Amino acid sequence: MKDISERNLYLRYADAAQIRTLVTRDLGKGIIGFSRIRCDFDDLGMLDAHEPEHAYLVTLRLSDSHEDVWVDDRHISTLRPPAGLASVLDYRQDWRACIHKRFDAVNFHVPQAALKALDADERRLQSSELHVAPAVPVDDPVIRALASAVIPALDHPEQANALFLDHIGWALVAHLGKTYGHAAPAASQGCRRLTRWQVRRATELIEENLGNDLRLADLADACGVSISHFAHAFRESMAMPPHRWLLRRRVERSKALMLDPNRSLAEIALRCGFSDQSHFTRAFRKIIGVPPSSWRRSHCAGTSPP
């Protein structure tokens, strides 16, 4: 991420007890940052001043909070929002917050460039500006769901799926633009499915990179379309988003490898793109319904796998 983005993500909460951060890459023209920030003591005090930046901070509170907020030296309000509410702040404004109560929150760092990329791709936004009152809590179930979806990746970053992070980042940008950017009625965009050659190219690229960190931008570039078009069209064509297709293909590949009794489950996990055997076991059980060891015993009778 850019230096300013790093300072805005990290230094403002230098006194917080725990900070975990992940970022997307090549998402349109912007990089989306995800962070979970938790402070286990009251009266953290005034946060450090942030650097001016063409970006927004979207916060989803995981716990009840209590803070005072100033925007351009004007006291906005004393806020006591409960857990589950979101808020948006513009990094181009001079805003400050005094934190009175311990907190747990998921922050999204959203550059304006990403909203502009959505504008260019979708042709439906009147403006790449978000129109939402600064710091005022909003009940937004989509932001809440996206925050819940990204928490496991923040808690276990070594297991984070790059395609999944890109998918969450793009979903957030699309939602913000269409909900708070005054979206105009969508014009007819024709078929939103991939062509046969695009399906073949995308699935081949996924197959070739089952053990690698594949990005959404790589797939969109290979198909000659924008990221937003590819994400929508792949889901329409394959009945699931790209990251889920990738996960299922990794599991299918692991089945073939498990037929070799000389391969350990730990080796198979790494060869199929999982971070470790426990990550592999969870994904396999979720998709197949049984752990890989049980599947192997039932399909490899008479062998003694390691």
Side-chain angles (χ1 to χ4, degrees):
M1 301 182 69
K2 295 180 181 179
D3 291 342
I4 290 177
S5 299
E6 289 177 342
R7 288 198 293 273
N8 284 339
L9 271 173
Y10 296 110
L11 297 185
R12 294 188 48 69
Y13 296 94
D15 295 328
Q18 298 181 29
I19 302 177
R20 295 170 179 167
T21 301
L22 293 168
V23 298
T24 64
R25 290 183 174 83
D26 300 323
L27 190 61
K29 295 183 179 180
I31 296 173
I32 313 300
F34 313 94
S35 61
R36 182 173 183 177
I37 300 176
R38 176 178 173 181
C39 180
D40 291 326
F41 53 87
D42 295 331
D43 298 318
L44 176 63
M46 190 72 73
L47 298 182
D48 297 336
H50 67 83
E51 298 280 354
E53 183 182 2
H54 291 283
Y56 294 93
L57 173 68
V58 180
T59 298
L60 190 284
R61 296 168 178 84
L62 302 178
S63 64
D64 297 347
S65 58
H66 177 197
E67 65 253 16
D68 279 281
V69 179
W70 290 260
V71 177
D72 295 330
D73 294 325
R74 181 170 60 91
H75 184 250
I76 296 296
S77 60
T78 299
L79 303 172
R80 292 182 174 85
L85 295 189
S87 61
V88 179
L89 284 164
D90 190 335
Y91 275 122
R92 293 170 299 178
Q93 295 177 309
D94 179 17
W95 57 266
R96 297 171 183 268
C98 184
I99 308 299
H100 303 297
K101 183 178 179 179
R102 63 190 64 193
F103 64 89
D104 190 4
V106 173
N107 282 354
F108 299 98
H109 179 277
V110 183
Q112 197 176 28
L115 290 162
K116 289 180 179 179
L118 176 71
D119 188 14
D121 286 342
E122 297 294 332
R123 305 298 183 194
R124 59 192 297 176
L125 286 181
Q126 295 177 354
S127 170
S128 57
E129 302 283 338
L130 299 184
H131 299 275
V132 57
V136 174
V138 294
D139 186 6
D140 191 316
V142 175
I143 293 177
R144 192 158 53 243
L146 293 174
S148 296
V150 82
I151 284 173
L154 288 166
D155 290 343
H156 302 282
E158 73 283 356
Q159 298 178 7
N161 183 313
L163 272 181
F164 171 74
L165 292 179
D166 288 350
H167 178 76
I168 292 294
W170 187 258
L172 174 67
V173 170
H175 171 69
L176 292 174
K178 295 168 187 175
T179 305
Y180 305 107
H182 297 310
S188 175
Q189 298 180 18
C191 180
R192 295 290 289 177
R193 298 170 67 89
L194 296 177
T195 64
R196 288 184 179 180
W197 78 263
Q198 288 172 328
V199 169
R200 184 173 63 253
R201 184 68 190 103
T203 54
E204 286 176 351
L205 192 57
I206 289 174
E207 204 71 27
E208 293 166 2
N209 290 274
L210 291 180
N212 300 323
D213 203 17
L214 189 62
R215 312 301 306 206
L216 195 59
D218 300 330
L219 293 167
D221 288 345
C223 293
V225 296
S226 68
I227 293 175
S228 63
H229 177 91
F230 178 82
H232 287 297
F234 189 96
R235 187 169 192 141
E236 285 294 315
S237 302
M238 312 303 287
M240 66 183 69
H243 70 270
R244 195 170 299 163
W245 180 272
L246 172 65
L247 192 61
R248 287 182 175 274
R249 292 306 305 149
R250 284 175 170 171
V251 167
E252 288 302 314
R253 182 183 182 186
S254 73
K255 287 181 179 179
L257 294 178
M258 280 193 287
L259 296 177
D260 180 353
N262 296 314
R263 294 183 186 275
S264 69
L265 292 181
E267 176 193 352
I268 291 171
L270 295 178
R271 287 178 65 89
C272 293
F274 297 99
S275 60
D276 53 34
Q277 186 174 336
S278 63
H279 182 207
F280 168 47
T281 298
R282 286 195 298 274
F284 193 96
R285 183 196 293 269
K286 184 175 182 179
I287 292 174
I288 305 302
V290 296
S293 56
S294 298
W295 185 94
R296 188 177 217 177
R297 282 193 298 270
S298 65
H299 288 77
C300 303
T303 63
S304 301

